[in-house]
Amino acid sequence: MQLTDTHCHLDFPVFESDLATRLAQWRQLGVGEYIIPAVGEENWTRVMALAAQHAGIAYGLGIHPWYVSAQTPGVLTRLEDLLASRPRGLVAIGECGLDLRSHVPQEGQVALFEAQIKLAMKFELPLIVHSVRANDSVAKILRRFNPAQGGVIHAFSGSLNQAETFWRLGFRLGIGGVISYERANKTREAVRDMPLEALLLETDAPDMPLQGLQGEPNSPANLPLIAQLLAELRQLPLSDVISVLHESTRCTFPLMSSEINI
């Protein structure tokens, strides 16, 4: 059974050189499917093109909170029109959400996040949610809108209480390299204690390297390592973890089976 990297930015420049060869190498390691979340209108066409060119790739369309200020007037209308066309490979809205770190521009984040939740509800698509230092704020907004298709909290980093809140709201937790860091005790404990079916695997490549690999571009090649770390953390056989998370991925992104090129 192939692993799915539910969050990786394969359209970023670091992967431009011979992506087909890289994908073949990753498949040999057991990683056969990928979801590429867009970050803004500037890369919508890129992620769509990759899904058309390569087997196993799906994508989300949305506006990342970092890039809110870079969007031009009418972007939401253009996003809605694109979603209405139901392009092949589309499985989610995102990456969208909130990033409340002081160095990230805040203006417009909440409005665009809420607008994208409404689009997810209109087109019955799950959300890929970016939540950095914003778990409580994000949960409050999601509770108010209650999007029926749910989605995933990308790169979850938080407490067991926050994890349980998102799970009750219909959102799974994206688990990546953070669990390789012993100092991330709170998140590791939450990942250990949550129902296994509440979790999804991701790398956020080329970002979020595992402990010991800092300074190197992350890649889907590290997803099997994350799966192994999760199995050890849960004290479960790796095969059981992979099986449950495969089903969880299909439940979160039900269009995966029909929308990706095989």
Side-chain angles (χ1 to χ4, degrees):
M1 184 177 294
Q2 295 280 316
L3 295 169
T4 302
D5 190 338
T6 63
H7 196 115
C8 53
H9 297 281
L10 300 185
D11 65 305
F12 282 16
V14 67
F15 297 119
E16 282 182 348
S17 176
D18 203 0
L19 180 59
T21 298
R22 295 172 188 259
L23 289 168
Q25 292 170 343
W26 298 335
R27 183 175 290 277
Q28 289 298 313
L29 295 173
V31 187
E33 296 178 348
Y34 313 84
I35 299 176
I36 310 176
V39 298
E41 187 170 16
E42 58 270 24
N43 80 328
W44 294 347
T45 56
R46 291 206 307 272
V47 301
M48 293 169 65
L50 287 181
Q53 294 165 8
H54 301 284
I57 293 180
Y59 59 86
L61 294 175
I63 302 165
H64 190 296
W66 288 6
Y67 300 93
V68 167
S69 62
Q71 305 308 301
T72 56
V75 65
L76 284 171
T77 299
R78 293 189 293 276
L79 176 57
E80 183 171 1
D81 290 344
L82 186 54
L83 296 171
S85 74
R86 289 290 185 178
R88 182 168 178 80
L90 174 68
V91 298
I93 303 289
E95 174 176 0
C96 60
L98 302 179
D99 193 317
L100 301 186
R101 288 176 289 187
S102 59
H103 68 278
V104 178
Q106 301 297 307
E107 185 177 358
Q109 279 197 35
V110 171
L112 268 184
F113 181 33
E114 292 182 350
Q116 290 175 91
I117 294 173
K118 293 177 183 177
L119 288 175
M121 296 170 71
K122 178 176 180 177
F123 293 104
E124 299 183 340
L125 288 166
L127 288 152
I128 298 173
V129 178
H130 176 105
S131 178
V132 177
R133 298 188 185 176
N135 284 344
D136 294 338
S137 298
V138 166
K140 183 178 180 180
I141 292 171
L142 292 175
R143 186 179 293 110
R144 177 156 53 88
F145 285 93
N146 192 28
Q149 274 63 44
V152 57
I153 306 299
H154 152 58
F156 175 75
S157 178
S159 66
L160 178 59
N161 181 62
Q162 290 171 328
E164 290 173 338
T165 295
F166 285 130
W167 179 231
R168 287 194 297 269
L169 289 169
F171 284 77
R172 287 181 165 86
L173 312 174
I175 305 304
V178 67
I179 64 171
S180 68
Y181 291 84
E182 294 182 1
R183 67 174 184 271
N185 290 326
K186 181 173 63 174
T187 300
R188 283 164 56 90
E189 290 173 2
V191 170
R192 182 195 64 203
D193 295 339
M194 285 295 291
L196 183 58
E197 61 267 27
L199 311 179
L200 299 176
L201 291 175
E202 61 171 58
T203 62
D204 198 24
D207 299 319
M208 292 184 61
L210 280 69
Q211 182 171 337
L213 299 175
Q214 298 95 321
E216 301 177 16
N218 195 8
S219 91
N222 291 320
L223 197 68
L225 299 177
I226 296 170
Q228 181 62 50
L229 286 169
L230 179 59
E232 293 171 0
L233 191 61
R234 303 287 304 220
Q235 296 185 326
L236 291 171
L238 178 60
S239 59
D240 290 356
V241 169
I242 291 174
S243 178
V244 171
L245 269 57
H246 176 81
E247 182 62 27
S248 295
T249 300
R250 285 302 189 270
C251 288
T252 306
F253 304 103
L255 292 177
M256 279 291 289
S257 296
S258 61
E259 289 299 320
I260 59 175
N261 292 320
I262 304 300

